């Protein structure tokens, strides 16, 4: 099946007074309609910068310096900004990480949704507000007509997140990026939000890029998963293959740190060390200072992403 989204050798760097931060460093992945790909890793590994890169929203001093972002066979990096605006929020949209900062605190909920519909779909204001109420109902918000008149501070965290999803889905996008959509929500609301995203993905045949650090969410919601570390994808596989045959030492460390019901008593097994500072990454493999399997070659060069089995890619000298 032809990918809706095909990322090839994407590089996004931040040029600072102290040096160059390679936030996203030569990553590739693809996504087809109706599929969920989870992008997983610790804070600071480059997940959110990847998401912003796909929509060309990287803040200064960040800049996309290489690669291709093919959306429906069109390279988004070559489009004029006016053409990009017609895609952003319309054909490809994003659920931002923190709903309180993503919503405008001085505008009513209805106005914020209606603005998108007026801009991209050319609806009159009354039509846009009517459609906005329908969208709020679709994402499970009770009494949607009343909620249109509310301000963001009048809603709970879970309801604000649903509003963000309604805004992202207003134009029925073909691709949706969800950046940590369950952050700061309690477990019950997390499950409701993920069920909602899954249902809307299926109903609209969307391609869903799910950005998260939670492997529990990945196991329940994704079809495939890409593990990121220090700006690189270090492993990519189907969810079943990754959980049953995870190979990269970083992946194994993440899996070992997940609590399990009925498991051995005692503390979880953490990954030793810390993520290296962006301006002080080690030579060779960026994970080598934390890796229990590191050897001399790991310091000499960063390994390429190699295929262990069909669809299962790993970046590790020990696995090639």
């Amino acid at each position: 099946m032809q990918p809706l989204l095909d990322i090839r050798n994407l590089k996004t760097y931040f040029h600072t007074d102290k040096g160059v931060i390679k936030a996203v460093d030569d990553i590739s992945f693809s996504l087809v309609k109706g599929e969920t790909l989870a992008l997983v890793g610790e804070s600071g590994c480059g997940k959110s910068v990847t998401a912003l890169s796909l929509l060309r929203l990287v803040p200064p001093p960040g800049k996309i310096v290489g690669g291709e972002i093919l959306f429906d066979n069109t390279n988004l990096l070559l489009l004029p900004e006016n053409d990009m605006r017609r895609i952003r929020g319309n054909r490809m949209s994003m659920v931002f990480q923190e709903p309180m900062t993503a919503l405008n605190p001085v505008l009513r909920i209805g106005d914020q949704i209606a603005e998108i519909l007026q801009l991209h779909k050319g609806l009159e204001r009354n039509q846009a507000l009517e459609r906005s109420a329908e969208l709020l109902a679709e994402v499970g918000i009770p009494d949607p007509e009343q909620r249109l008149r509310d301000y963001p501070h009048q809603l709970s965290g879970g309801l604000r997140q649903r509003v963000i999803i309604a805004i992202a889905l207003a134009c029925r996008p073909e691709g949706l990026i969800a950046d940590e959509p369950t952050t700061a929500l309690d477990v019950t609301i997390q499950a409701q939000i993920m069920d909602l995203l899954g249902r809307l993905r299926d109903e609209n045949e969307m391609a869903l890029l799910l950005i998260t650090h939670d492997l529990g969410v990945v196991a329940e919601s994704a079809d495939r998963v890409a593990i990121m570390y220090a700006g690189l994808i270090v492993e990519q596989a189907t969810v079943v293959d990754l959980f049953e045959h995870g190979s990269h030492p970083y992946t194994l460390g993440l899996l070992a740190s997940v609590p399990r019901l009925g498991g051995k008593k005692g503390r979880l097994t953490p990954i030793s060390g810390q993520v290296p500072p962006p301006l002080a990454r080690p030579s060779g493999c960026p994970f080598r200072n934390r890796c229990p399997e590191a050897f001399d070659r790991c310091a000499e060069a960063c390994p390429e992403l190699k295929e262990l089995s069909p669809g299962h890619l790993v970046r590790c000298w020990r696995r090639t």
Side-chain angles (χ1 to χ4, degrees), residues 141-167:
I141 293 181
D143 196 10
E145 289 79 10
Q146 172 60 41
R147 294 303 185 185
L148 290 179
R149 297 188 286 271
D150 287 346
Y151 290 92
H153 73 269
Q154 294 175 275
L155 305 182
S156 67
L159 288 181
R160 286 197 296 267
Q161 190 65 287
R162 289 172 188 265
V163 170
I164 290 293
I165 294 171
I167 291 173

Side-chain angles (χ1 to χ4, degrees), residues 35-169:
E35 178 188 37
T36 298
L37 171 68
L39 199 57
V40 179
E42 294 171 274
S43 297
C45 73
K47 306 188 302 297
S48 292
V49 176
T50 298
L52 294 172
S53 298
L54 301 188
L55 291 172
R56 283 176 40 184
L57 291 174
V58 180
K63 186 177 181 181
I64 299 171
V65 299
E68 295 178 302
I69 301 173
L70 300 178
F71 178 75
D72 199 16
N73 286 323
T74 298
N75 188 354
L76 300 185
L77 298 182
L78 301 180
L79 289 182
E81 179 57 27
N82 283 341
D83 291 341
M84 187 64 205
R85 286 195 189 110
R86 295 188 186 100
I87 291 176
R88 189 190 297 128
N90 184 19
R91 296 186 63 195
M92 183 160 63
S93 195
M94 184 168 174
V95 177
F96 290 91
Q97 186 172 144
E98 176 44 61
M100 202 57 201
T101 56
L103 292 170
N104 189 324
V106 299
L107 290 181
R108 297 180 190 274
I109 296 300
D111 292 331
Q112 298 192 51
I113 305 175
E115 180 182 20
I116 302 294
L117 295 164
Q118 290 176 280
L119 175 66
H120 288 297
K121 298 302 182 183
L123 299 185
E124 297 294 333
R125 177 172 169 78
N126 287 341
Q127 292 176 308
L129 286 172
E130 184 178 335
R131 177 62 185 139
S132 297
E134 293 173 359
L135 285 164
L136 292 184
E138 282 182 24
V139 298
I141 293 181
D143 196 10
E145 289 79 10
Q146 172 60 41
R147 294 303 185 185
L148 290 179
R149 297 188 286 271
D150 287 346
Y151 290 92
H153 73 269
Q154 294 175 275
L155 305 182
S156 67
L159 288 181
R160 286 197 296 267
Q161 190 65 287
R162 289 172 188 265
V163 170
I164 290 293
I165 294 171
I167 291 173
L169 296 176

